[in-house]
Amino acid sequence: MMTKKVLITGISGFIGHHTALKLMETDYRFIGLIRPGTDKKRIEDLKRCVNFYEADLANIIELREFLQKNKFDAIIHIGAVRGGRSFPKDIYLKANVDATKELVKNAYNNDSKFIFCSSVGVFGAIPQAVPADENTPKQDDNYYHFTKNRCEKIIDEYVQRGLKAVIVRPSITYGTGDYGFPYTLIKLVQKRMLFLPDQPVKIHLTNVKLLAQAFKNLLVNGFESGQRYIIADKEPVELREMAQFIASELRMKNYSPKIINKRYFAIAESVCKKIRNEIWTARFQLISKDWYYNVEPAYKNLKLDEFRTIPEFRDVVEWFKKNQIKK
């Protein structure tokens, strides 16, 4: 029996790298798509199980040529231009939407499984109702979220034709090695610069190890085509409690976040929207409004381990402290 061949995109990124490490526990043969010029140190620990091919997702001609010469038993599509980056919209469109369509067509033509990493951002940075689930309205509140919604529509169209596909929607993901929102949160607590509203705010993060487990289980155990799964830790956490936990892990004495009236966050968000600053709009939203999700279908159907943000976030704080020492 031939070893099954799996293509992974985004393998040098935060989520893709952790997923590849988890998938190395299986007997599959992996091809990793990496951007030309990728620092080889980022993929050094994957070399024994992964063969790499250089191709930029935004270069559709190059990607198409690669796909025409190859077929796979499964494609795990994680690669994308993340939100908040200073790329022009046409790069977002090519790398996120056009590349996804090429990969979907390859999977459809070769009867391959297609596992797509979308985002809870399809519901907007802040869902219209919480906990958000499959019935929550979609929002194209920034261009990154628009591209994810467009990708999901493309996949749905091909599922209707017979594509075997599943969509994974992680929340904001945390783990060692990432410099996104969780890292910024630790930094704000450390500098005593975290401002919070005068009302409780619930947030819902995703441990990257949990997400990697979800990808592995979908690949190994299979799935019902057309399903969508929100992946996040077992329960949301209250943001003030999270800040206190971070401060405790940083060994900070007499810490308490600065509490201000919620209307000031609304004013700041409104100003950022008017000047079309998507990054700061999202930042004010994420620390002043609830965002959490119904994850029960994923835990039930994918047989996931239960991850709790507190105390699991401790590993990220420890990594942060070591990072500060190196600097």
Side-chain angles (χ1 to χ4, degrees), residues 224-244:
E224 180 183 342
S225 186
Q227 289 297 305
R228 300 169 176 81
Y229 292 109
I230 296 173
I231 307 296
D233 289 358
K234 187 63 177 175
E235 302 286 348
V237 294
E238 209 282 306
L239 189 51
R240 287 191 204 179
E241 182 185 357
M242 187 71 180
Q244 292 290 355

Side-chain angles (χ1 to χ4, degrees), residues 29-46:
R29 184 159 58 97
F30 298 103
I31 310 296
L33 212 58
I34 58 173
R35 187 183 295 111
T38 296
D39 184 354
K40 297 301 186 288
K41 292 179 183 178
R42 296 172 64 179
I43 53 175
E44 186 67 34
D45 54 350
L46 303 176

Side-chain angles (χ1 to χ4, degrees), residues 170-313:
S171 182
I172 291 177
T173 308
Y174 68 92
T176 58
D178 184 62
Y179 292 88
F181 172 77
Y183 184 89
T184 301
L185 185 60
I186 298 172
K187 209 169 182 179
L188 288 172
V189 171
Q190 182 196 46
K191 294 184 176 182
R192 300 180 185 268
M193 292 178 61
L194 180 62
F195 289 82
L196 294 179
D198 53 2
Q199 296 177 12
V201 174
K202 282 186 178 181
I203 67 173
H204 208 168
L205 299 173
T206 303
N207 191 307
V208 72
K209 294 178 182 177
L210 170 68
L211 182 55
Q213 184 186 57
F215 282 121
K216 178 190 173 184
N217 290 2
L218 286 165
L219 177 65
V220 173
N221 301 330
F223 50 83
E224 180 183 342
S225 186
Q227 289 297 305
R228 300 169 176 81
Y229 292 109
I230 296 173
I231 307 296
D233 289 358
K234 187 63 177 175
E235 302 286 348
V237 294
E238 209 282 306
L239 189 51
R240 287 191 204 179
E241 182 185 357
M242 187 71 180
Q244 292 290 355
F245 175 78
I246 292 169
S248 174
E249 292 299 310
L250 291 173
R251 305 290 189 268
M252 295 173 64
K253 295 180 179 179
N254 304 317
Y255 175 80
S256 63
K258 296 176 174 61
I259 307 300
I260 60 176
N261 193 291
K262 192 172 183 177
R263 70 173 181 271
Y264 292 113
F265 287 93
I267 293 169
E269 180 186 336
S270 177
V271 170
C272 290
K273 282 182 177 178
K274 285 181 181 178
I275 62 175
R276 298 181 180 180
N277 190 317
E278 292 183 352
I279 297 175
W280 277 99
T281 298
R283 284 174 177 169
F284 283 117
Q285 290 174 328
L286 292 174
I287 61 173
S288 65
K289 298 179 179 179
D290 289 334
W291 43 280
Y292 56 97
Y293 311 90
N294 178 10
V295 295
E296 286 309 312
Y299 278 90
K300 179 182 177 181
N301 296 337
L302 303 186
K303 305 294 189 291
L304 301 175
D305 295 333
E306 293 188 3
F307 280 76
R308 308 275 175 179
T309 309
I310 299 174
E312 296 288 343
F313 201 78

Side-chain angles (χ1 to χ4, degrees), residues 1-5 27-29 73:
M1 184 176 178
M2 291 184 63
T3 303
K4 291 184 178 181
K5 186 167 70 168
D27 295 326
Y28 292 88
R29 184 159 58 97
D73 294 284

Side-chain angles (χ1 to χ4, degrees), residues 8-11 57 76-81 95-96 100 116-117 148:
I8 309 175
T9 69
I11 199 167
L57 290 176
I76 302 176
H77 182 29
I78 298 172
V81 176
N96 292 6
T100 298
F116 177 63
C117 186
K148 287 299 185 182

